[in-house]
Amino acid sequence: MAFAGFPPAALEFFEGLAADNSKSYWLAHKTVYDEAVKGAMSALLADLAEFGPFNIFRPYNDVRFAKGRPPYKEQIGAIGESEGGAIHYVQLSTEGLMVGTGYYHMAADQLDRFRRAVDAEHTGAAAAAVCSALEKKGFTIGAIGELKTAPRGYPKDHPRIDLIRRKGLASFRSWPVEPWLHTKSVVKKIRDAWTASEQLNAWLDANVGPSTLPPPDWDR
């Protein structure tokens, strides 16, 4: 199936799921999910193959350790990882489209290299400049989380402490639901956003690189 945009039925599916996140709703609308949601996402990822290969997240929440958590995810997301270690992420929900790229969740060995690189004047200043430029273009810089204070061995008044406290480094761009979401324009929007962040990924690949530890389970 060629990607022609996310059909209105995809958003209608998630609107219904938000109102009735139950097995009965899921089973009654699984065909809609398979065709309008997962089918459209698969076609989109085929058009963005240069950033993949991709894996689409499972639609089921892990409710074993979270009481009250709904059984089904109210969004669909997919993730790809480059040879250098950077990830490319895309998500669709009733809130619209969100994409991200970078090292969202660094392993322990990556964090050590990342902090050393940010601490060093030349490489640290370069990272700060890349992040600042992206923010001026409308991107959000974030990560899976950050420390409340400086990590051991780094001063609290370090000029780049906001970066050093992060547990990852990635750029994000979001768009609300608009008519273009139902067209092929989605491909260009995402490609342009990921391409705009190439300098960030280049810095991460050069100064951090992939982890040598076992890879995380991306909830696939």
Side-chain angles (χ1 to χ4, degrees), residues 131-185:
C131 291
S132 177
L134 284 170
E135 288 176 327
K136 290 178 181 178
K137 293 179 180 178
F139 288 82
T140 298
I141 302 300
I144 193 171
E146 60 181 43
L147 300 176
K148 293 182 179 180
T149 188
R152 183 178 300 176
Y154 295 91
K156 294 181 180 180
D157 61 350
H158 192 288
R160 292 178 292 279
I161 193 60
D162 288 347
L163 283 176
I164 291 175
R165 288 192 296 111
R166 295 184 184 276
K167 296 180 180 179
L169 188 64
S171 65
F172 299 89
R173 190 74 185 266
S174 300
W175 300 273
V177 174
E178 294 179 350
W180 61 262
L181 197 59
H182 307 305
T183 73
K184 290 196 66 166
S185 297

Side-chain angles (χ1 to χ4, degrees), residues 26-66:
W26 177 263
L27 292 177
H29 297 83
K30 189 175 185 303
T31 300
V32 178
Y33 172 82
D34 289 340
E35 296 178 0
V37 181
K38 187 176 180 179
M41 178 63 81
S42 297
L44 170 64
L45 298 177
D47 281 353
L48 295 167
E50 70 267 31
F51 297 100
F54 290 94
N55 287 283
I56 296 177
F57 283 75
R58 292 186 294 257
Y60 315 103
N61 278 320
D62 187 344
V63 298
R64 294 173 297 174
F65 310 109

Side-chain angles (χ1 to χ4, degrees), residues 111-119 147 151 154 164 166:
L111 266 178
D112 179 62
R113 295 192 295 271
F114 170 68
R115 288 169 178 163
R116 291 175 183 272
V118 174
D119 179 43
L147 300 176
Y154 295 91
I164 291 175
R166 295 184 184 276

Side-chain angles (χ1 to χ4, degrees), residues 4-17:
F6 287 105
L11 298 176
E12 292 168 1
F13 170 84
F14 284 122
E15 289 170 354
L17 185 61

Side-chain angles (χ1 to χ4, degrees), residues 63-87:
V63 298
R64 294 173 297 174
F65 310 109
K67 286 187 177 181
R69 196 176 189 185
Y72 303 99
K73 296 174 183 175
E74 295 174 7
Q75 73 281 331
I76 184 170
I79 193 168
E81 184 173 356
S82 68
E83 291 184 5
I87 61 98

